Amino acid sequence: MCRKRVKALHSILFRISVWILLIGLTGILLADYFVRIQMRMQMENQVMEELLRVRNNCFLYVRQALLLNRGRLDARGFELYADEIEEMLKNAGYRELFLCDGKGALLAGEDERFAPRRQEVDFKRALEGDSVFAIRYGLQGQCKVLFSIPVMINGENAGIISCSFDYGELYRGQQNTIRQTTGIIAGAFALICLVIWLTVYRILMPIRRLSRGAAEVSACLTDGRQGSMILEKLGFQWRRDEIGELAANYLEMLKVIEDQIGRIREDRERIVALWNSRQEFYNNVTHELKTPLTTISGYAQLMEKNGPGDERLFYTGTEHILKESSRLHRMVIQLLELQDKTDEMRMERLELDELLQSVTESMGIKARRYENELLLETEGEQCFPVKGYEDRIRQVFINVIDNAIKYGERGKPIRIRLRRQEERIFVTVMNWGLEIPREDREKIFEPFYRVDKGFFRELGSSGLGLSIAARIMEEHGGHISAGSIPEGGTVFTVWFPAA
């Protein structure tokens, strides 16, 4: 699930969707920003126009109040009649009204509310002779405009009039307009983004289906099946656009690849067959030559060492030397004739206990050289008939027992057990010492495989004996496997179908 999620995040459709979403949100935010700026400017312009009229009206009210009271039209008159001017302006609708002299001292208005008012920008600018307004926004759509103007009488700054106006209704109306405009723009952007996304989706969907089809084709080619049928079922090759052209070219390329893969597979099978035949021939020959020569050499050395006095050794050694010499002779004849042994040999009914007894006696010399002893145990007094090639079955037991001798612990016996279970005959060879790891028990039957290459090479192992034994067991319909024993060692199990 995690891999599918990561793959979806890297898809073209996801990236385009993200870009469309980002562009849409950016467009909506920019539109909202510019609409707000425009509405703010519009509101400020409207306030400025209205405050210009307010300023002119203020001048008229001041002049009128001074004239009605027959006061002087100067700063002194403004100070004397500040209360009358305040009353007149309040009646005209002015709120939070403050009248000050030219230096900012309060003449009329509430003292406790005047202190924070002096800190506003509009009041400070009025002291400098400028008419300025300041807009203050509050919660729930509140908007108040602070306005301060210097009163100029006959070119003299007679005082300052500061007041405020409530523009909350105008501000709330603008906010509603902004929300409606933003909603319309957002809907338009969303519609445009949806149309673009659907268009891209329709374009990418065939490509995604082609991608999944390509993955299925790859799996088919790996399994040796035809993959062109998968793309033909999609039907994109009949389209007249770029997708159809891509699908047609890809299908044509796939058919060429399938033809080439078929030819490569045929050539590989021929090469592998030739190589296996050559390797098997060479491996069998070298091992078939080495084992009888070892037996002949061993008995010859013992007979030379003990002399003619040991009559039993003389006759036993002579028998084995003649038997192995005959086998070597037959092999040489077959090599000269360049024929496969199994073509000329016929399977015979063999007594496995007698054959195993002969091999045990033959390999006993080598076991004693390694200070080991071969113990043959037969379960019960039943028969152990098998059908096969005597020399090749003998070679299986020689290879397995030879491995048990070379890789077993010195001074420990090697137990060979023969038993029958229903229609199968089992032979187990157990030795103590070196144990084969679980992960290597199947690989040791592969040609040239060694668990410890350095150690096995020192013992003269070529890594072919067990692979030849496994091949021979396949020819006889049996099997060979390796395992371990709790005491620390290795057990090889060979089973044959009973004749």
Side-chain angles (χ1 to χ4, degrees):
M1 179 61 108
C2 184
R3 293 182 63 184
K4 290 183 178 180
R5 186 177 300 173
V6 172
K7 185 177 180 181
L9 293 178
H10 288 84
S11 64
I12 296 176
L13 183 60
F14 178 79
R15 295 179 182 179
I16 293 178
S17 301
V18 171
W19 277 108
I20 291 175
L21 182 61
L22 290 176
I23 293 173
L25 291 177
T26 304
I28 293 172
L29 293 176
L30 288 176
D32 180 72
Y33 175 74
F34 287 114
V35 169
R36 289 180 182 275
I37 291 179
Q38 186 66 29
M39 297 300 290
R40 183 71 59 84
M41 292 177 60
Q42 182 179 353
M43 180 177 177
E44 290 179 356
N45 292 333
Q46 183 176 350
V47 170
M48 186 179 295
E49 292 177 0
E50 291 181 0
L51 292 182
L52 286 176
R53 290 194 296 270
V54 169
R55 186 185 66 175
N56 296 330
N57 292 335
C58 285
F59 292 159
L60 292 175
Y61 284 125
V62 170
R63 185 176 294 275
Q64 183 179 0
L66 293 177
L67 291 175
L68 289 176
N69 291 282
R70 299 178 180 180
R72 298 170 55 183
L73 296 178
D74 55 9
R76 181 62 180 168
F78 183 78
E79 293 177 5
L80 292 174
Y81 297 101
D83 293 333
E84 286 81 357
I85 295 173
E86 178 189 16
E87 186 68 23
M88 186 178 294
L89 290 174
K90 284 184 177 181
N91 293 332
Y94 291 72
R95 296 292 179 267
E96 296 185 11
L97 186 63
F98 301 97
L99 275 71
C100 305
D101 60 11
K103 296 181 180 181
L106 181 64
L107 299 176
E110 299 179 9
D111 292 339
E112 62 274 9
R113 301 182 64 179
F114 178 67
R117 189 70 180 84
R118 289 179 59 89
Q119 306 302 321
E120 296 291 344
V121 176
D122 61 306
F123 191 86
K124 293 180 179 180
R125 294 289 298 276
L127 290 175
E128 299 174 1
D130 296 329
S131 298
V132 180
F133 68 91
I135 302 177
R136 296 291 179 265
Y137 299 98
L139 300 176
Q140 299 178 351
Q142 296 176 357
C143 180
K144 184 166 63 173
V145 177
L146 306 178
F147 185 48
S148 298
I149 58 174
V151 179
M152 305 299 295
I153 301 176
N154 298 325
E156 180 186 4
N157 187 1
I160 297 174
I161 298 176
S162 180
C163 59
S164 65
F165 300 92
D166 185 11
Y167 279 84
E169 185 176 354
L170 176 63
Y171 178 67
R172 289 189 291 273
Q174 285 189 346
Q175 291 298 311
N176 292 332
T177 303
I178 290 173
R179 284 193 291 270
Q180 293 175 0
T181 306
T182 303
I184 294 173
I185 294 174
F189 266 105
L191 181 60
I192 294 172
C193 292
L194 179 62
V195 172
I196 295 174
W197 188 87
L198 290 175
T199 304
V200 173
Y201 181 81
R202 289 179 59 85
I203 294 173
L204 291 179
M205 269 292 88
I207 298 177
R208 296 184 67 179
R209 291 179 62 188
L210 277 176
S211 177
R212 288 194 294 267
E216 295 179 10
V217 168
S218 178
C220 290
L221 293 178
T222 303
D223 298 338
R225 296 175 292 159
Q226 294 288 333
S228 56
M229 298 296 295
I230 296 175
L231 293 183
E232 290 180 351
K233 289 180 180 179
L234 295 177
F236 292 142
Q237 65 272 17
W238 306 116
R239 294 177 55 156
R240 297 183 180 182
D241 55 6
E242 289 81 358
I243 300 295
E245 184 178 356
L246 174 64
N249 293 336
Y250 187 76
L251 183 60
E252 188 67 25
M253 178 186 67
L254 181 60
K255 290 181 178 179
V256 174
I257 292 174
E258 289 176 349
D259 293 339
Q260 294 297 325
I261 290 176
R263 294 177 185 177
I264 293 172
R265 187 178 293 111
E266 293 175 359
D267 294 341
R268 183 192 64 185
E269 291 175 355
R270 286 196 296 267
I271 293 172
V272 169
L274 291 173
W275 175 257
N276 290 339
S277 177
R278 176 180 176 275
Q279 285 294 106
E280 184 180 2
F281 178 77
Y282 173 77
N283 297 336
N284 288 336
V285 167
T286 54
H287 277 71
E288 293 274 0
L289 287 172
K290 184 179 72 173
T291 304
L293 286 174
T294 301
T295 303
I296 294 172
S297 176
Y299 275 108
Q301 290 175 6
L302 286 176
M303 292 169 66
E304 181 183 14
K305 180 178 179 181
N306 296 338
D310 193 342
E311 184 176 351
R312 181 181 178 185
L313 175 63
F314 176 79
Y315 284 108
T316 303
T318 303
E319 179 185 356
H320 283 288
I321 289 173
L322 289 175
K323 183 178 295 184
E324 297 299 330
S325 299
S326 300
R327 192 154 68 90
L328 282 173
H329 177 72
R330 290 196 304 270
M331 188 190 324
V332 171
I333 294 299
Q334 290 171 347
L335 287 173
L336 293 175
E337 295 177 355
L338 297 177
Q339 294 180 354
D340 188 6
K341 292 193 294 184
T342 56
D343 292 339
E344 294 185 353
M345 298 172 60
R346 300 182 63 183
M347 285 192 174
E348 301 174 332
R349 179 185 173 91
L350 306 171
E351 293 297 332
L352 203 59
D353 53 345
E354 298 178 1
L355 181 59
L356 194 57
Q357 178 68 38
S358 175
V359 174
T360 304
E361 292 178 359
S362 175
M363 298 298 293
I365 299 174
K366 185 171 183 178
R368 288 191 291 273
R369 192 188 310 163
Y370 284 80
E371 301 177 5
N372 296 118
E373 181 182 2
L374 300 180
L375 300 179
L376 177 60
E377 302 174 359
T378 303
E379 186 180 271
E381 298 181 355
Q382 50 189 337
C383 298
F384 302 94
V386 297
K387 191 173 183 180
Y389 308 111
E390 180 179 355
D391 288 346
R392 296 180 70 77
I393 295 176
R394 181 186 296 271
Q395 185 66 29
V396 172
F397 293 139
I398 289 174
N399 287 340
V400 174
I401 296 174
D402 184 65
N403 282 347
I405 293 172
K406 288 192 294 185
Y407 309 133
E409 185 177 347
R410 287 180 178 270
K412 296 286 187 177
I414 297 173
R415 297 187 177 276
I416 305 169
R417 185 182 181 189
L418 177 64
R419 61 185 177 89
R420 179 169 181 172
Q421 183 177 348
E422 297 179 352
E423 298 302 320
R424 290 183 179 182
I425 298 176
F426 292 85
V427 179
T428 56
V429 180
M430 294 180 291
N431 70 308
W432 283 263
L434 182 64
E435 183 178 351
I436 300 175
R438 182 181 299 273
E439 62 271 13
D440 294 322
R441 292 174 187 171
E442 294 293 334
K443 298 179 181 179
I444 59 175
F445 297 103
E446 299 176 3
F448 300 105
Y449 185 83
R450 303 181 184 91
V451 179
D452 186 343
K453 294 180 172 55
F455 174 69
F456 278 38
R457 192 173 287 109
E458 289 178 3
L459 295 178
S461 173
S462 63
L464 291 170
L466 292 179
S467 63
I468 294 174
R471 184 64 180 272
I472 294 174
M473 292 308 301
E474 289 181 4
E475 294 176 358
H476 289 78
H479 185 69
I480 180 172
S481 61
S484 62
I485 55 179
E487 294 84 355
T490 303
V491 56
F492 280 89
T493 302
V494 180
W495 67 264
F496 295 86

